Amino acid sequence: MKKTVVLYPGLAVSHFVPMMQLADALMEEGYAVTVALIDPSLKGDIALAAVIDRVAASKPAVTFHKLALVQDPPTVVHDTKFLVRYSDLVNRYNEHLHDFLLSMPPCSVHALIVDFMSIDVLGGTRMLGIPTYSFIGINASAFAIFSQFPSILADGQPSLRELGDTPISLHGVPSMTAPHIINNEMLEDPETRKVLVDMMQKQQEADGILVNTFESLEVRAVGALGDKRCFPKMPPVYCVGPLVAEAGVAQEKHECLSWLDRQPELSVVYLCFGSVGAGNHSQEQLKEIAVGLEKSGHRFLWVVRAPPHSDPERRVDPRADPDLDVILTDGFLERTSGRGLVVKLWAPQVEVLRHRATGAFVTHCGWNSVLEGIAAGVPMLCWPLYGEQTMNKVLMVEEARIGVEMVGWQQGLVKAEEIEAKVRLVMHSEEGELLRARVTAHKEAAAMAWKDGGPSRAAFGQFLSDVGNLGQGPPRW
């Protein structure tokens, strides 16, 4: 009987997709893979539900098990209480996961890999004697920062709001100001701070940490995470990235790919801001983008969603079909016809980024998108919106130097003049050529990371060896 590795992904597309790439790597090494799932409908995530269905259909060798429902689950929305509600939701499933693991054949579970936001399952898995690892879908730099939150947010320390623009010195990353660390309003909430601090302290109780990055991209952060002087209680850290989705084989070619086929090489700016409603821009911002793109004179492919309602109580479904004639500048679509294409809701991003016509990527700096941009060798225009994306921006602009910052994101509005100027800089300047050269070098390193002898494949092999050395622990009854 094959040894089984159980994966327990988080409730977000950005957390689920890279873990499924990890499933492929495990199966290549001869392991059986079972994925334990919380029903994504509880979080109202239509996009995640669709992705799970598509992935399950494409991976018949993987067993997908949906955990039994909990009663009266909390509603999870992207506001200042998001982390509190999310943690409450996933923690209610700890007992169900424990029961599911107990139902599996004795000693068949070789290891459990859990999303880092579900780390509270550790208590139950310790009782079962199952080696348990935390999967970090974000990068090593952001994880290093989060790991220092227990000291940054400790009682008696000034709040991030009080620190303002005072540079904060941190292990493994450049000094940065509080607005670049995380949403300050969220961290003003005492419950959120407690949840986040507890979550990061529990990471140190895992048997190891798997991070979706490759070593040469984040030399400073990876070095710090492995340095006991910086993180004395950190378990082994394995850099096993980049875990990015492969280009899909669709039954029908998406219209935007056919349009890209007709464009010159490296001539198109691609704009997309993630897969969740938190990335929806206001109508004012959408019009600024339209004006900036039109004035830049460059070709563009832009994925647009409906703007959020002005009344927060009347939230817009992030998958709602946007009325482009209403939300964009009058006559914009007609004036840019031929050199620009606006796509509603979604585009096949991996295929778009790897297309010969794509020359730049305007991104919200979500880590999956960043890795997809690097794997395609496309320089990026960085426009962080929420979560750890502000930290990712620092890595991209200051450390890896593969992107430029879209000034104005901190104030909540990037002006048309900034969009025009930065598009021209990346697409047609000496600085833009240097960006392209650097991201091309990282592309080559990313391609080598998982080849025989590559650092990520070696780290993955070390992880498997270490799991085997831990053994299965005591009997589970």
Side-chain angles (χ1 to χ4, degrees):
M1 183 175 63
K2 286 184 177 181
K3 294 178 179 179
T4 299
V5 176
V6 176
L7 305 181
Y8 190 40
L11 278 172
V13 172
S14 58
H15 292 225
F16 175 81
V17 170
M19 197 176 272
M20 294 307 99
Q21 300 304 117
L22 188 64
D24 290 340
L26 288 163
M27 288 189 293
E28 287 176 8
E29 295 294 329
Y31 292 89
V33 175
T34 293
V35 181
L37 294 166
I38 297 173
D39 191 333
S41 64
L42 293 175
K43 186 169 165 277
D45 197 330
I46 302 170
L48 176 58
V51 169
I52 289 174
D53 289 344
R54 186 168 67 248
V55 170
S58 69
K59 298 183 187 298
V62 176
T63 300
F64 288 83
H65 174 83
K66 197 171 288 186
L67 299 175
L69 297 177
V70 297
Q71 292 185 336
D72 302 320
T75 301
V76 180
V77 295
H78 281 268
D79 60 11
T80 56
K81 290 281 191 181
F82 165 76
L83 193 60
V84 175
R85 296 191 184 100
Y86 182 93
S87 181
D88 182 18
L89 175 61
V90 296
N91 287 346
R92 292 190 192 190
Y93 277 86
N94 290 349
E95 186 176 346
H96 289 321
L97 179 67
H98 177 276
D99 291 345
F100 171 62
L101 294 170
L102 198 58
S103 73
M104 298 182 73
C107 300
S108 66
V109 180
H110 191 58
L112 171 68
I113 302 175
V114 305
D115 181 77
F116 79 106
M117 294 178 71
S118 301
I119 196 65
D120 270 340
V121 303
L122 271 173
T125 59
R126 284 277 183 262
M127 294 173 60
L128 297 177
I130 298 174
T132 302
Y133 291 77
S134 181
F135 180 76
I136 311 297
I138 57 177
N139 56 61
S141 299
F143 179 64
I145 296 170
F146 280 133
S147 296
Q148 295 169 78
F149 270 22
S151 58
I152 296 172
L153 303 178
D155 291 342
Q157 293 293 322
S159 70
L160 293 180
R161 187 182 298 277
E162 290 171 334
L163 288 170
D165 290 329
T166 303
I168 303 171
S169 181
L170 299 162
H171 297 304
V173 296
S175 295
M176 61 184 74
T177 59
H180 285 88
I181 291 181
I182 200 170
N183 184 315
N184 285 344
E185 292 183 7
M186 182 181 290
L187 291 182
E188 290 298 315
D189 176 60
E191 286 184 279
T192 298
R193 288 200 302 272
K194 184 180 186 309
V195 167
L196 187 53
V197 167
D198 289 348
M199 182 185 297
M200 298 318 299
Q201 288 177 328
K202 284 190 174 72
Q203 304 300 323
Q204 300 177 355
E205 300 174 17
D207 291 303
I209 308 286
L210 301 169
V211 187
N212 186 17
T213 192
F214 55 102
E215 193 169 344
S216 65
L217 180 64
E218 301 187 79
V219 173
R220 190 195 312 204
V222 173
L225 288 169
D227 189 339
K228 293 301 181 183
R229 294 169 300 179
C230 300
F231 299 97
K233 296 182 180 180
M234 186 66 67
V237 174
Y238 310 91
C239 296
V240 295
L243 298 168
V244 296
E246 297 296 324
V249 180
Q251 292 182 343
E252 294 184 13
K253 189 172 184 178
H254 194 280
E255 61 167 325
C256 72
L257 297 177
S258 298
W259 181 83
L260 284 170
D261 289 342
R262 300 191 294 272
Q263 310 309 314
E265 186 174 0
L266 301 180
S267 66
V268 175
V269 179
Y270 170 59
L271 303 89
C272 186
F273 298 93
S275 59
V276 300
N280 287 30
H281 287 301
S282 67
Q283 185 154 342
E284 180 185 11
Q285 182 63 83
L286 291 171
K287 290 188 175 181
E288 291 288 335
I289 296 173
V291 172
L293 289 174
E294 185 172 358
K295 288 187 174 180
S296 77
H298 282 281
R299 292 174 172 82
F300 63 86
L301 170 59
W302 179 15
V303 180
V304 172
R305 290 196 187 88
H309 200 280
S310 56
D311 180 354
E313 295 299 318
R314 297 174 64 187
R315 287 188 294 272
V316 174
D317 183 339
R319 312 301 294 177
D321 194 35
D323 188 337
L324 300 180
D325 291 325
V326 171
I327 64 178
L328 298 181
T329 305
D330 291 344
F332 168 77
L333 295 173
E334 291 76 15
R335 291 192 302 273
T336 59
S337 177
R339 73 171 177 89
L341 179 66
V342 177
V343 176
K344 297 180 179 181
L345 299 175
W346 180 85
Q349 181 159 291
V350 172
E351 291 88 340
V352 168
L353 288 170
R354 296 184 183 185
H355 197 284
R356 60 168 184 77
T358 302
F361 180 21
V362 181
T363 174
H364 66 312
C365 304
W367 189 236
N368 282 355
S369 291
V370 173
L371 287 179
E372 288 165 1
I374 290 171
V378 179
M380 286 167 267
L381 295 88
C382 304
W383 188 331
L385 297 175
Y386 55 90
E388 86 289 350
Q389 294 163 11
T390 53
M391 307 179 200
N392 298 347
K393 189 272 300 181
V394 175
L395 169 66
M396 297 162 69
V397 174
E398 298 184 25
E399 286 277 273
R401 296 189 298 155
I402 56 176
V404 295
E405 180 179 7
M406 293 290 249
V407 176
W409 64 267
Q410 289 191 52
Q411 292 73 39
L413 186 69
V414 177
K415 293 286 192 177
E417 295 78 12
E418 171 71 1
I419 295 164
E420 175 189 358
K422 290 297 169 62
V423 165
R424 288 182 171 177
L425 181 148
V426 174
M427 295 294 285
H428 189 66
S429 76
E430 184 176 345
E431 185 176 346
E433 288 303 311
L434 291 173
L435 286 172
R436 194 175 306 281
R438 285 192 289 268
V439 77
T440 298
H442 285 299
K443 171 187 176 181
E444 293 168 356
M448 290 299 299
W450 267 95
K451 293 186 182 299
D452 289 341
S456 294
R457 180 167 287 280
F460 185 63
Q462 186 63 55
F463 154 68
L464 295 177
S465 175
D466 291 347
V467 174
N469 290 335
L470 285 175
Q472 292 294 322
R476 294 176 291 160
W477 52 77

